Amino acid sequence: MKSFWPEAKGKIHIDAWREVTTVDGFSITIEPKNASTTKDQLFFINLGGYKENEFEEYHYKTLAVAGSLGLASKVAKTTTFYKHYSFEGATSHIDDKYGIDVDDIYNVADILAPIFKDHYSLKITLSEVPLPEDVQHIGYLKIDKIV
C-alpha cells in the first residue's frame, strides 16, 4: 500500500476491515492451489451513488458470489444502496477502473498478489446451514500500528 500511495508519505490508515469467511450463504476458504475449479467467483464491488441536493458522492462496498462479472453487476444493482442513492441524471453506478479507491468491481482472485495466486485458490461453497456473518472492524486504524 505504501508503494501504491507514495504521496501519503507512509501515513496510511484503514477505515474498515473484515476477514472474509462467508458471503451470501457461501463459505469462503483459502485452499492450496489444485486443478479443481468452481464456477462461482468472489467479487469486490464499490458502488457510487448520489442523494438529491447533496454535494457528495457516497460509496458502498460489498462482496458478491457470482459466476461472472456481469452476474455480479446484476447482484450489485439489487442492493438497497443502488436503489436509494440514485435519481434522474445522477444514477448509482459501477465503473470498471484500475484502482481500488474508485467505483469499481473486481474478481478478488484477479487482484491477489502473484505469490498468493501461484500457491492458493479461493474455495467457494454454498452452505446447507445458515452461516454467521463476518465481524466488521470499523474505525481509524493506522497501518504503522499493525505492520
Side-chain angles (χ1 to χ4, degrees), residues 89-143:
T91 57
S92 295
H93 56 278
I94 306 169
D95 294 330
D96 189 8
K97 302 277 177 97
Y98 298 101
I100 291 296
D101 197 38
V102 294
D103 316 324
D104 45 24
I105 181 169
Y106 286 99
N107 181 330
V108 171
D110 290 344
I111 60 174
L112 295 176
I115 190 168
F116 298 117
K117 284 197 272 191
D118 292 345
H119 300 288
Y120 302 98
S121 59
L122 295 176
K123 182 177 181 186
I124 301 170
T125 310
L126 184 60
S127 179
E128 307 255 339
V129 298
L131 298 168
E133 290 192 24
D134 294 334
V135 175
Q136 296 186 22
H137 304 271
I138 301 171
Y140 189 93
L141 175 62
K142 291 182 180 181
I143 295 293

